[in-house]
Amino acid sequence: MTPPSAGSRWSDLDRPPLNVTALRRGLLRPGSLWTSLEVVPRTGSTNTDLVAAAADKAEGTVLVAEEQSSGRGRLDRTWSAPARSGLFFSVLLRPGDGVPAERWGWLPLLAGVATATALSRAAGVDTALKWPNDLLVTVGGEERKAGGILAERTGDAVVVGIGLNVTLRADELPVPTAGSLALAGAQVLDRDPLLRAVLRSLEEWYGVWRDAGGDPAGSRLQEAYAAGCATLGRHVRAELPGGSALVGEAVAVDGDGRLVLATADGVQRPVGAGDIVHVRPAERSAEGSGEGVGQESDGSSASSEE
């Protein structure tokens, strides 16, 4: 048998292509949220592509890329990974008049809960959520970022992108704080059942949330997010837009999806946007002296859609 060429879809036998026919058969059923599913060999960013096409697409459109050359995350960070080494996809949602626009900010948190739930069931791996949009796994006793989520509003729709490192090997990690399902000892690394599980979980959580009018308490989304959030109870530094920073203990996620910090002066401050750094307990004293503060599992470049 002639070995596959370097440009073949099967050039890496440990990373077979997704089975589009089987995915469509399993997901595009009557009554399902998912209305179409396309898998492209390579693109810059599935979020960019789906945002550009949103006006002509129905709710439930799913766009998957086998490889992304410039996946985007928060603060316009970019990242790329070997072809077929992960799941890189975006979905189009239209919450409609039944969900007030001010509650749409819960969608990336909802996607995090749905993805973490799916991976626990389908891959047998424990995941945690780092506020607001990171998926963490444990590798060698340390938290590592294995995935991320990016939500973008376009007109009356929201495009939610999810990037997940599946078979990324140690020598392929973009930064030392990155991780993957393989490195975390996941029992299942087949991307087909993993993608089906995540999309089904996302459909379930989205349906409950939408039926509750986007109410995070009534849909139990707020409770589920708090239960799986590794940031809560930790001493953190919030690096805010504009260059300022806020340090304190993360004590809650409020009804608007903001992280609430209890600061040293006894004030509770909500944070709606910013980079969150988990501070090591042994290095907290450095904050008061103006020294550099250590951090845990930043992994800011570890996924395609942060």
Side-chain angles (χ1 to χ4, degrees):
M1 178 181 293
T2 304
S5 65
S8 167
R9 294 169 65 240
W10 290 91
S11 57
D12 188 338
L13 297 181
D14 291 331
R15 292 170 174 165
L18 292 165
N19 187 329
V20 184
T21 300
L23 287 170
R24 288 173 176 162
R25 185 185 306 121
L27 292 166
L28 308 184
R29 61 190 188 278
S32 169
L33 169 65
W34 310 119
T35 53
S36 68
L37 185 146
E38 181 182 6
V39 177
V40 297
R42 177 184 172 89
T43 190
S45 162
T46 57
N47 253 43
T48 297
D49 295 347
L50 198 49
V51 166
D56 300 320
K57 299 292 185 180
E59 180 176 51
T61 297
V62 182
L63 177 62
V64 188
E66 294 283 28
E67 181 180 11
Q68 285 193 135
S69 60
S70 56
R72 294 187 299 111
R74 294 177 64 250
L75 307 180
D76 288 329
R77 293 175 178 136
T78 60
W79 176 87
S80 60
R84 305 181 301 279
S85 65
L87 290 172
F88 322 114
F89 64 98
S90 298
V91 303
L92 179 66
L93 303 174
R94 298 187 189 277
D97 296 335
V99 179
E102 59 266 24
R103 289 177 171 171
W104 292 14
W106 273 96
L107 282 171
L109 283 70
L110 183 154
V113 169
T115 303
T117 301
L119 294 178
S120 176
R121 294 172 179 170
V125 62
D126 289 332
T127 59
L129 302 168
K130 177 172 177 279
W131 189 91
N133 61 355
D134 293 346
L135 294 161
L136 306 180
V137 296
T138 302
V139 179
E142 296 182 353
E143 286 181 343
R144 302 281 190 89
K145 179 176 173 180
I149 296 158
L150 175 68
E152 297 181 85
R153 181 171 178 176
T154 174
D156 66 345
V158 178
V159 173
V160 179
I162 298 175
L164 180 65
N165 297 335
V166 178
T167 61
L168 213 62
R169 299 182 283 266
D171 61 346
E172 297 173 319
L173 296 177
V175 291
T177 49
S180 68
L181 298 187
L183 293 174
Q187 299 173 12
V188 175
L189 296 176
D190 186 336
R191 294 181 304 142
D192 284 88
L194 293 179
L195 179 57
R196 287 197 300 270
V198 172
L199 287 173
R200 286 170 178 163
S201 181
L202 182 55
E203 177 182 12
E204 179 180 352
W205 273 105
Y206 179 66
V208 171
W209 174 79
R210 187 173 55 184
D211 289 346
D215 181 0
S219 62
R220 303 190 69 178
L221 174 59
Q222 186 175 4
E223 175 186 348
Y225 187 89
C229 183
T231 303
L232 293 181
R234 303 277 278 271
H235 201 70
V236 305
R237 183 176 72 249
E239 298 174 350
L240 307 175
S244 62
L246 182 65
V247 175
E249 181 184 355
V251 295
V253 174
D254 70 13
D256 294 321
R258 300 176 300 179
L259 186 67
V260 180
L261 301 187
T263 61
D265 56 7
V267 177
Q268 293 196 352
R269 295 270 304 275
V271 175
D275 280 350
I276 299 298
V277 178
H278 290 174
V279 180
R280 294 190 182 103
E283 297 176 339
R284 293 179 189 173
S285 59
E287 298 159 9
S289 63
E291 300 171 4
V293 179
Q295 63 189 49
E296 300 173 353
S297 62
D298 183 347
S300 57
S301 300
S303 76
S304 63
E305 301 292 352
E306 295 183 44

